[in-house]
Amino acid sequence: MSQLHLTLKPKASAVFADPHRFTMAVCGRRFGKSYLSCAKALHVALSKKRSNVLMIAPTFEMGRATLWRTLQDMVPDAWLMKTSQSILEMQFVNGSRIEVKSGDRPDRLRGRSLDLVCMDEAAYLTESLWTEVLRPALSDREGGALM
């Protein structure tokens, strides 16, 4: 696969480069939050073979409209082994996977082992989604989070 070259706004670049395992960014409109999340997800998926990345939006429709459409624009077909439009999932030739899911049914997200979770519009997601479902899913792989 060829290199990923993305242009982030200066403040978004600082968030992207933050070395902490868990990063919470409080940003206003037009900051580029969704694009930043997609860039971070792609970075993990492309740099670590067989990685599992989960991108969460408050609703399935929001995930499709923002995260999924942005990912589709960023990823060349040559990097993909399989794509599912119906369940919003990309499988890469290196064995990595990015899934876009909604946070409105947390029990459907249990039992995963994750390298990264990106929570888009995290203020609209429940605290228990993080504490009971997503945080434990990051433990065994020592995965990170961008909120």
Side-chain angles (χ1 to χ4, degrees), residues 29-85:
R29 292 181 53 79
R30 302 293 165 240
F31 180 87
K33 299 179 293 287
S34 298
Y35 189 85
L36 168 63
S37 291
C38 290
K40 192 73 166 181
L42 283 170
H43 174 74
V44 170
L46 297 175
S47 63
K48 183 178 179 186
K49 289 182 181 181
R50 302 189 57 77
S51 61
N52 294 315
V53 176
L54 190 59
M55 303 188 75
I56 305 289
T59 66
F60 187 77
E61 293 77 19
M62 288 174 74
R64 180 188 301 280
T66 56
L67 300 171
W68 184 251
R69 288 183 68 190
T70 302
L71 277 172
Q72 286 184 303
D73 290 343
M74 296 168 91
V75 177
D77 290 339
W79 294 0
L80 296 169
M81 186 170 67
K82 182 176 158 186
T83 301
S84 175
Q85 297 287 334

Side-chain angles (χ1 to χ4, degrees), residues 63-142:
R64 180 188 301 280
T66 56
L67 300 171
W68 184 251
R69 288 183 68 190
T70 302
L71 277 172
Q72 286 184 303
D73 290 343
M74 296 168 91
V75 177
D77 290 339
W79 294 0
L80 296 169
M81 186 170 67
K82 182 176 158 186
T83 301
S84 175
Q85 297 287 334
S86 60
I87 60 171
L88 308 184
E89 180 180 306
M90 292 181 173
Q91 293 180 17
F92 293 82
V93 295
N94 71 351
S96 293
R97 174 186 318 232
I98 296 177
E99 297 175 79
V100 176
K101 300 293 179 190
S102 70
D104 55 1
R105 295 184 184 168
D107 285 339
R108 292 186 176 192
L109 302 173
R110 292 184 186 277
R112 297 166 185 265
S113 182
L114 300 173
D115 295 283
L116 177 70
V117 64
C118 294
M119 298 169 67
D120 201 49
E121 301 294 347
Y124 298 103
L125 300 170
T126 64
E127 182 179 349
S128 63
L129 172 64
W130 170 250
T131 59
E132 298 174 19
V133 179
L134 299 177
R135 176 61 182 90
L138 294 165
S139 294
D140 56 334
R141 292 182 178 233
E142 296 183 7

